[in-house]
Amino acid sequence: ELDAESNRLARALMRRGVGPEALVALGLPRSVLSVVSVWAVAKTGAAFVPVDPRYPAARVRYLMDDSGAALGLTTVADREALPDGTDWLVLDDPGFRTECRGWSSDPVTDADRARPLDARHPAYVIYTSGSTGNPKGVVVTHTGLADFTAEQRDRYSVTASSRTLHASSPSFDGAVLEILLALGAGACMVLAPPMVQGENQLTDLLARERVSHVFTTPTVLATVDPRGLHDLRVVVVGGEPCPPELAAVWAEQAQMFNGYGPTETTVMTSISDPLAAGGPVTIGRPVRGAAVLLLDSRLHPVPTGVAGELYICGPGVARGYHRRPALTAARFVASPFGTAGERMYRTGDVGRRRRDGSIEYLYRNDSQIELRGVRIELGEIDATLLTHQAVRFAATDVRELRDGVEVLVSYVLPARNETVDPDQLIRYAATRLPTPLVPAIVVVVDAVPLTVNGKLDRSALPDPVPAATEFEAPHTPAERVVATAFAEVLGLDLVGRDENFFALGGSSLSATRVASRIGAALETTVPVRAVFDSPTVSALAVAVNEQTGGATRVALTVRPR
């Protein structure tokens, strides 16, 4: 039925001039019609451009303007959310449905198309958001789809009796993965309603529909309860780094795989072996047809165990960015290792190869932050918080408090039947992390905000509200000296005995100045490390006395060489 419906729709599109190198916008949420439309556009030889009507109006307008798609498919319910200027065919309009029924359901061949379809023609254009600027459209051809489809079918043991899940937004290339996962093996594909994203709704759907294979992001998977999902045999995660704690939970429930691949390289370029509880979480080895290189800044291969940037070669490398020749030239670069004209995609991700040949993902080369002179990998903080039994999900961000002071804020979702005490969790982190990595504030959330792609929506995390503390003046002479040094270095009027130097805006450089001032006032030597280990006034006063033992500083004098 899917084949017949998509053949009729393909012929209706070809009648309107749709063919290879053309772009057709799909203004549809996840549904039976969105799958039929993807299949129909593919049969015409054109490329589909998913435009989720749930996106903000400004973004939808930008996607339509930038793609230049002159023709689109939508439904009556979604037409109002889409801009004019495009010839929208309404799939559930009675007149258009009558037209489609009049077309043949026979297989579409090159004899029907405007010109023969070549594997190098675009298959789809998906827009991805960069760290800055407007979204960019990735033009993906057919060249890598056959290898990826076969890899999924064999790797996950998908058969005609499997029941896979389609829960990704059509605007995320995870939707391409899910469609090929099912149709590549003739399996049954369960379509999640558009409002289902995670937590109890997704858990209930997986159980009710007896889903055997599922792909999702780690953020969504962390909200699913594995208990009772007896039919679930294969879980694949991707799109974000997978925490080892999450892998430990699910690896005992089902075969769990961790996949990696930018949109620019046809969905996934490497997949791990089945993960084991307590074992390493890697991104595995390249899929068939692909090569993943780890190179230094001179494009020289790095040795095993040494960090390098990931470059991807093979038929899955996309044509480039739609209407962005300069950006395409910067990211899709000539390969010094392949044949003449071969390109490789520069991912911007850093990893290292293990002795067994698998690849360990480390971080984005632009994801580390610098806060108060210290370079910080936020994922390290999240991983530490997740080791606490009361925490089910953790995400750390840098937020600005009063007077431009930036602090680390961790957002946590409690585990089921658990309660999180923010102060206790901060103390827990302080026993396991260097002081600069300890979050200043922990915010407990009721739910994890998600983008339509199922990834963490950081912009939707609430702004922290620092707890109001009553001012308490320093008690001892040493506390008064420390409080005075804090105030002078940070330009504050008063500092209480429980105030934290770094929460007040202190940095590595100003910590050196504070240590020097305290040492001068007490005629002793105060190591800078003491400020990091004991950042409050009262704690630092105690630490100064303990570490120095009351020893006085040796005065500087002129001495013989």
Side-chain angles (χ1 to χ4, degrees):
E1 291 175 6
L2 171 63
D3 196 41
E5 284 294 311
S6 56
N7 286 339
R8 294 188 180 99
L9 179 55
R11 286 186 164 84
L13 293 172
M14 290 187 292
R15 177 179 176 273
R16 291 163 170 82
V18 173
E21 297 294 336
L23 301 182
V24 178
L26 303 185
L28 299 161
R30 180 176 60 244
S31 62
V32 170
L33 288 179
S34 70
V35 178
V36 171
S37 298
V38 164
W39 229 233
V41 173
K43 289 177 176 181
T44 69
F48 65 89
V49 185
V51 180
D52 196 324
R54 296 177 297 169
Y55 277 159
R59 184 182 176 97
V60 171
R61 194 177 307 109
Y62 172 82
L63 298 184
M64 294 304 303
D65 291 343
D66 187 76
S67 68
L71 186 70
L73 300 175
T74 187
T75 64
V76 172
D78 298 305
R79 176 62 186 90
E80 291 185 2
L82 301 168
D84 296 328
T86 298
D87 183 10
W88 291 103
L89 301 179
V90 182
L91 295 172
D92 51 354
D93 175 76
F96 185 67
R97 290 176 63 184
T98 299
E99 177 193 337
C100 288
R101 283 196 293 267
W103 292 106
S104 169
S105 62
D106 293 340
V108 177
T109 67
D110 275 348
D112 301 299
R113 300 186 182 102
R115 56 182 178 276
L117 175 61
D118 188 277
R120 292 166 294 181
H121 286 139
Y124 57 85
V125 178
I126 285 184
Y127 278 78
T128 64
S129 296
S131 55
T132 59
N134 288 318
K136 50 191 183 294
V138 183
V139 183
V140 180
T141 66
H142 293 266
T143 51
L145 292 173
D147 280 340
F148 178 63
T149 303
E151 183 77 31
Q152 288 201 114
R153 184 175 58 242
D154 297 344
R155 181 73 68 100
Y156 309 141
S157 302
V158 190
T159 67
S161 61
S162 300
R163 295 175 66 82
T164 71
L165 181 70
H166 181 24
S168 295
S169 164
S171 296
F172 176 39
D173 63 353
V176 176
L177 180 157
E178 292 168 343
I179 291 175
L180 297 179
L181 182 67
L183 301 185
C188 172
M189 182 169 66
V190 176
L191 277 82
M195 68 289 299
V196 172
Q197 280 195 305
E199 302 192 39
N200 295 337
Q201 287 182 323
L202 183 55
T203 303
D204 294 343
L205 179 68
L206 293 172
R208 184 175 63 253
E209 296 294 341
R210 297 178 290 107
V211 172
S212 62
H213 292 67
V214 63
F215 163 77
T216 187
T217 62
T219 298
V220 171
L221 187 63
T223 69
V224 176
D225 187 351
R227 294 172 296 183
L229 300 180
H230 306 299
D231 296 292
L232 191 57
R233 296 192 292 108
V234 174
V235 175
V236 185
V237 292
E240 298 172 315
C242 178
E245 297 75 20
L246 183 66
V249 171
W250 283 91
E252 295 184 351
Q253 167 74 18
Q255 273 198 315
M256 184 177 183
F257 298 86
N258 185 35
Y260 166 82
T263 301
E264 290 86 346
T265 57
T266 310
V267 192
M268 279 186 182
T269 51
S270 66
I271 303 172
S272 73
D273 292 332
L275 302 178
V281 178
T282 74
I283 57 173
R285 299 171 182 80
V287 301
R288 62 190 71 186
V292 180
L293 310 175
L294 287 98
L295 309 178
D296 61 19
S297 59
R298 299 174 299 165
L299 298 185
H300 291 173
V302 298
T304 297
V306 175
E309 185 171 356
L310 276 67
Y311 287 76
I312 298 172
C313 308
V317 174
R319 177 183 291 184
Y321 296 112
H322 185 57
R323 295 178 174 176
R324 301 280 189 92
L327 185 59
T328 297
R331 306 300 296 189
F332 296 84
V333 298
S335 173
F337 309 103
T339 59
E342 186 174 347
R343 301 173 308 145
M344 55 185 184
Y345 175 67
R346 180 181 183 182
T347 67
D349 293 322
V350 177
R352 61 183 167 215
R353 198 177 303 277
R354 297 166 56 88
R355 290 186 178 180
D356 62 2
S358 64
I359 299 170
E360 180 182 3
Y361 175 88
L362 297 178
Y363 53 82
R364 287 284 303 171
N365 61 10
D366 57 0
S367 69
Q368 288 184 330
I369 63 151
E370 185 167 328
L371 184 64
R372 296 188 280 275
V374 179
R375 293 194 67 80
I376 296 172
E377 178 63 44
L378 296 176
E380 182 179 353
I381 304 171
D382 300 340
T384 299
L385 296 177
L386 285 169
T387 62
H388 194 285
Q389 63 177 11
V391 177
R392 177 164 45 138
F393 172 85
T396 303
D397 203 0
V398 177
R399 292 296 173 98
E400 185 176 301
L401 301 182
R402 63 186 186 282
D403 301 326
V405 175
E406 291 185 327
V407 298
L408 291 172
V409 179
S410 293
Y411 298 87
V412 299
L413 180 70
R416 287 177 175 81
N417 302 319
E418 295 282 355
T419 302
V420 172
D421 180 344
D423 291 335
Q424 191 275 334
L425 191 58
I426 291 173
R427 291 193 294 271
Y428 176 85
T431 64
R432 290 161 172 79
L433 291 170
T435 298
L437 276 66
V438 177
I441 299 173
V442 167
V443 178
V444 180
V445 296
D446 297 328
V448 180
L450 303 174
T451 66
V452 294
N453 293 344
K455 298 182 181 181
L456 173 65
D457 186 355
R458 291 186 176 273
S459 64
L461 292 170
D463 289 328
V465 180
T469 57
E470 185 176 341
F471 176 81
E472 184 176 357
H475 293 176
T476 66
E479 288 182 1
R480 286 192 285 272
V481 169
V482 173
T484 300
F486 280 17
E488 290 175 350
V489 169
L490 300 178
L492 303 173
D493 294 331
L494 291 173
V495 175
R497 70 185 306 268
D498 295 322
E499 298 275 17
N500 185 301
F501 177 72
F502 296 106
L504 293 172
S507 65
S508 298
L509 182 61
S510 55
T512 304
R513 295 168 56 200
V514 159
S516 177
R517 287 184 183 235
I518 295 172
L522 298 178
E523 295 187 346
T524 186
T525 299
V526 177
V528 178
R529 182 72 223 174
V531 182
F532 285 92
D533 292 338
S534 306
T536 65
V537 169
S538 57
L540 184 55
V542 172
V544 168
N545 287 330
E546 290 179 349
Q547 290 186 20
T548 63
T552 58
R553 179 175 54 187
V554 178
L556 296 178
T557 60
V558 178
R559 293 169 179 261
R561 289 183 179 273

